Amino acid sequence: MIELLKNTRKNLMTGVSYMIPFVVAGGILLALSVLLSGNASVPDKGWLADIANIGITGLGMMVPILSGYIAFSMVDRPGLAPGIIGGLIASNIGAGFLGGILSGIVAGVVVFYLKKIKLPSSLRSLGPIFIIPLFGTLIVGVLMYWVIGQPIASLMTALTKWLESMGTGNLVILGLILGAMIASDMGGPINKVAFSFGSAMVGTINPATGLPSDTALTIMAGIGAAICIPPLAMGLATIVAPKKFSVEERNSGKAAIVMGLVGISEGAIPFAAADPLRCIPANMIGSAIGAAIAMVLGAGNPAPWGGWIVAPVAQNPLVYILGTLIGSVITAGIVIVLKKPVIEENLQSVGQGDDFDLDIEIM
């Protein structure tokens, strides 16, 4: 068990290496659809909506692939089904990429112990293609739904009530909190609570003006700025300090910048998944500061979206962009200082041939 978990970083990097094409393909297609629509939102009709749906589908595969190939790196091919299905469950229960990392590791551990069970010789050939995937998937699925799912639901409820009880008296504190929440798990439960909080506020129209309140616009400006800071920062870091990132990360850094500009925070997930202890705190610090700056200096965002694409409709757009730039530079700087130079290595697990030897006799 301890030996299995010693290679956690290698396992994470394997999962990330397989996940990156889905992030890039899905993210760029979604970004293009939003950009070409001319609106700060996902198009909902016409051919652009089809392109957006293709991109959303690609991004939806991100967490399952990450989870599946973490398990694959740990226990080879028998871990794929439990890992990928566990990752799908993580997405369905709103656990985000952190849930995907957890499900991948859990799947690897479960399959590791299932492989130790000695089967009768008549069933041995069915182990890697039937028995282990079946029972591994069942165990991982039960754990994800019953052990992990309920705490996540309770967390989202508690965070929502906490935000609603805070009020808007101190924009600095509120901006710091919302920015950090947005960047903490990038699409996970904490991010969703903060984004839903801002979206609900800008969705509440003042009957006297026909517009959201100034406070609502300010809050959404902070959230919109925080959304784009992690991918912009990761892309910037790969340009400034390329030796601290793998070739795949440097390539995905370019896509991350594009996704950040149009408000798709998932562009930073490959970096956070590969090095969570350094990248996630850095993302949270930069996004918190960037959001607070945008809010305190008077930016406003009427669109429930983020990135520079909302700047044309934002109040004080230069202030809004300034907040994203300062936050991005801070995050990139922290990551560059904390990360060590990367030594390239082959991160793909080598399949073990005897796992799939089928002992079939033709009578």
Side-chain angles (χ1 to χ4, degrees):
M1 175 68 170
I2 296 176
E3 190 66 30
L4 185 67
L5 296 177
K6 276 184 179 179
N7 294 320
T8 296
R9 175 165 172 76
K10 172 182 172 292
N11 299 332
L12 290 177
M13 290 299 295
T14 299
V16 168
S17 69
Y18 282 98
M19 177 184 71
I20 284 175
F22 293 87
V23 177
V24 172
I28 294 297
L29 287 173
L30 179 58
L32 285 174
S33 69
V34 173
L35 191 63
L36 293 175
S37 71
N39 300 313
S41 62
V42 177
D44 57 2
K45 58 184 177 180
W47 65 275
L48 285 177
D50 294 334
I51 299 297
N53 287 331
I54 294 171
I56 291 169
T57 301
L59 287 175
M61 292 296 297
M62 175 178 62
V63 172
I65 294 298
L66 172 65
S67 176
Y69 280 94
I70 288 173
F72 170 78
S73 179
M74 294 172 70
V75 291
D76 207 65
R77 285 166 289 189
L80 277 175
I84 290 176
I85 294 171
L88 280 169
I89 295 172
S91 294
N92 291 339
I93 64 177
F97 83 95
L98 292 176
I101 291 175
L102 181 60
S103 66
I105 293 173
V106 169
V109 172
V110 168
V111 171
F112 175 77
Y113 283 106
L114 287 176
K115 290 172 74 173
K116 287 184 173 293
I117 298 174
K118 293 185 178 181
L119 297 172
S121 58
S122 59
L123 297 177
R124 199 166 297 156
S125 62
L126 295 177
I129 62 171
F130 180 76
I131 296 173
I132 292 176
L134 174 62
F135 287 97
T137 299
L138 176 63
I139 294 169
V140 172
V142 166
L143 289 173
M144 292 301 294
Y145 274 123
W146 294 353
V147 178
I148 298 170
Q150 187 56 48
I152 287 174
S154 300
L155 173 66
M156 293 179 71
T157 301
L159 285 174
T160 301
K161 290 181 178 178
W162 178 57
L163 281 177
E164 290 172 348
S165 68
M166 280 191 62
T168 57
N170 193 321
L171 289 179
V172 174
I173 294 177
L174 187 59
L176 290 171
I177 291 172
L178 289 172
M181 289 177 68
I182 286 291
S184 63
D185 54 2
M186 291 165 288
I190 299 174
N191 171 286
K192 283 186 172 66
V193 168
F195 183 78
S196 298
F197 177 73
S199 298
M201 292 201 69
V202 295
T204 303
I205 304 299
N206 185 339
T209 63
L211 297 170
S213 68
D214 289 340
T215 300
L217 296 176
T218 300
I219 288 173
M220 197 63 220
I223 291 172
I227 285 172
C228 69
I229 286 172
L232 290 178
M234 294 301 111
L236 176 62
T238 62
I239 294 171
V240 175
K243 292 184 179 180
K244 296 199 172 185
F245 298 89
S246 67
V247 173
E248 288 177 328
E249 287 175 324
R250 293 198 294 270
N251 291 333
S252 64
K254 301 178 181 67
I257 292 174
V258 175
M259 286 187 264
L261 291 174
V262 294
I264 301 173
S265 61
E266 284 84 351
I269 287 180
F271 302 91
D275 196 358
L277 296 181
R278 294 182 178 90
C279 290
I280 292 177
N283 285 337
M284 292 174 67
I285 293 169
S287 292
I289 294 172
I293 289 172
M295 291 172 65
V296 170
L297 295 183
N301 177 17
W305 198 261
W308 286 18
I309 196 171
V310 304
V313 298
Q315 296 175 356
N316 295 324
L318 294 180
V319 169
Y320 175 80
I321 291 175
L322 178 65
T324 67
L325 289 175
I326 293 175
S328 298
V329 170
I330 290 171
T331 292
I334 294 173
V335 169
I336 290 170
V337 169
L338 293 180
K339 284 183 73 70
K340 298 178 181 179
V342 168
I343 299 174
E344 293 291 342
E345 59 179 329
N346 183 13
L347 295 171
Q348 295 187 11
S349 298
V350 178
Q352 298 175 5
D354 58 351
D355 273 344
F356 274 74
D357 285 345
L358 301 182
D359 186 14
I360 299 175
E361 294 183 4
I362 300 176
M363 303 299 293

